Amino acid sequence: MATSDRIVFAGTPQFAQRHLQALIDDGANIVGVYTQPDRPAGRGKKCLPSPVKSCAEAAGLPVFQPPTLKSADAHATLNALRADIMIVVAYGLILPQSVLDTPRLGCINVHASLLPRWRGAAPIQRAIEAGDCETGITIMKMEAGLDTGPMLAKAYIDITAQQSGGELLNALAALGPATLLKVLDDFERHWTNAIEQNDEHANYAHKINKADCAIDWQLSADLLARKICAFNPAPVCFSQLGDQRVKIWMADAIESTNPAAPGTIIKADREGLVVTCGQGALRVSRAQLPGGKPLTIFDLLNSRAEAMAPGRRFEMPKLDAPL
């Protein structure tokens, strides 16, 4: 697209910030940046700007933080920017049809999945959890449906063994900006040749909740290992060991025919805790006790060997208890 075309950017987290910075570095004509309102964060619950807001302010770009885009005032503000295109990356607010229709060329979205494989809020984590071998970035036209618009471009990346959600997020945060810039460099061709999605191949990547993170030891070790990888570094899987809630940061699945009840520790050494599952066993190599920091099992056994001794049993935690 032309360097004079007026771009409005909408995004909130670090993933979106990487895309905004790429546009800034490329000399894009960004006339406004939308991001979610400042929210309390950290132990002190101090209101902090989003990564996108910090990036925009550092570049001297106007920032808008409406709590919703459905109001008449919000629409009037956007309309006054006279945008040619709106680029949306992990913004976190629903764009009503009136907003989708405002930019001259329309709105496009950068989605961290190979659509239509995973639509929705948590495509990175759900891809790992499901055991997908690859994922990627999709640039699509935005429409009223959730991640249902025609696809302008895709870029692919392998999901490697034991890759955490955070590691895959970082890889996609590097892939996305380059893909976006390629689309913008030849926008008319990509827009004209956009490919409709096949709804029959779509899955919904539900937002991760507390229940998702609670470890059910009746499940197979393979599934639990993928889940633990997917939810690292946030929100992190957890289980109950005696009176303590233990966060499980790293684990891998191993073969086991031990008849002990699922959740039972059958081995504890410097390599980790071997815990029986519904099928196979999980070797937990990194965990976190309440009030502490994530440590290797080798380090934890130096001071808590009795609490993690063979024969002790992890149980399904009560979900109404605080994390």
Side-chain angles (χ1 to χ4, degrees):
M1 61 194 311
T3 55
S4 60
D5 284 336
R6 299 169 64 84
I7 294 174
V8 168
F9 183 90
T12 299
Q14 191 74 32
F15 180 77
Q17 181 271 331
R18 294 278 293 274
H19 291 76
L20 175 59
Q21 188 62 58
L23 290 170
I24 293 170
D25 293 343
D26 196 54
N29 182 25
I30 302 170
V31 296
V33 174
Y34 279 74
T35 191
Q36 289 204 37
D38 297 357
R39 303 198 187 282
R43 293 192 176 186
K45 296 300 180 183
K46 180 181 178 181
C47 269
L48 297 175
S50 72
V52 162
K53 180 180 180 180
S54 297
C55 177
E57 289 184 335
L61 300 173
V63 176
F64 305 92
Q65 296 178 273
T68 177
L69 292 176
K70 296 179 180 179
S71 69
D73 287 346
H75 183 257
T77 300
L78 177 62
N79 195 53
L81 293 174
R82 297 182 292 108
D84 292 300
I85 189 170
M86 188 171 188
I87 298 171
V88 181
V89 187
Y91 180 29
L93 289 182
I94 294 174
L95 273 60
Q97 191 63 50
S98 59
V99 169
L100 296 174
D101 294 339
T102 297
R104 179 178 64 88
L105 297 173
C107 302
I108 64 172
N109 176 252
V110 180
H111 186 72
S113 164
L114 297 174
L115 289 171
R117 172 62 176 155
W118 291 109
R119 296 171 177 170
I124 295 173
Q125 294 90 342
R126 298 305 182 189
I128 295 175
E129 184 182 20
D132 291 2
C133 294
E134 66 177 2
T135 186
I137 292 292
T138 304
I139 313 290
M140 66 172 178
K141 296 181 183 181
M142 294 187 71
E143 57 183 30
L146 179 62
D147 300 330
T148 59
M151 302 174 292
L152 281 67
K154 285 184 179 182
Y156 296 76
I157 191 171
D158 291 336
I159 299 177
T160 59
Q162 295 293 304
Q163 189 170 29
S164 70
E167 290 168 341
L168 185 54
L169 173 64
N170 287 336
L172 291 170
L175 182 64
T179 308
L180 174 62
L181 292 179
K182 286 181 181 178
V183 168
L184 296 179
D185 284 344
D186 196 1
F187 185 76
E188 184 175 352
R189 180 178 66 85
H190 284 96
W191 187 265
T192 302
N193 297 316
I195 299 171
E196 296 290 337
Q197 295 187 40
N198 185 342
D199 293 342
E200 293 182 0
H201 296 161
N203 299 278
Y204 183 60
H206 291 274
K207 183 178 180 181
I208 300 165
N209 59 37
K210 191 175 181 180
D212 289 321
C213 301
I215 296 177
D216 180 357
W217 297 96
Q218 302 281 348
L219 300 176
S220 73
D222 286 334
L223 174 56
L224 291 177
R226 295 197 304 267
K227 184 187 289 281
I228 289 166
C229 282
F231 299 166
N232 175 357
V236 186
C237 288
F238 60 91
S239 188
Q240 193 75 23
L241 184 61
D243 61 354
Q244 293 192 313
R245 179 164 290 189
V246 180
K247 292 184 176 181
I248 310 293
W249 284 79
M250 293 180 64
D252 62 294
I254 60 175
E255 293 184 2
S256 174
T257 56
N258 191 297
T264 303
I265 300 172
I266 58 174
K267 186 178 181 181
D269 59 23
R270 63 186 304 151
E271 293 184 356
L273 301 179
V274 178
V275 186
T276 56
C277 302
Q279 182 178 345
L282 202 64
R283 180 167 52 203
V284 178
S285 56
R286 191 172 187 84
Q288 180 179 7
L289 298 179
K293 60 183 180 180
L295 296 171
T296 64
I297 294 301
F298 175 72
D299 288 333
L300 286 173
L301 288 175
N302 286 334
S303 59
R304 307 300 293 271
E306 184 176 344
M308 297 181 174
R312 296 295 305 276
R313 186 180 177 190
F314 284 99
E315 297 179 341
M316 187 74 172
K318 296 180 179 178
L319 296 179
D320 56 353
L323 286 172

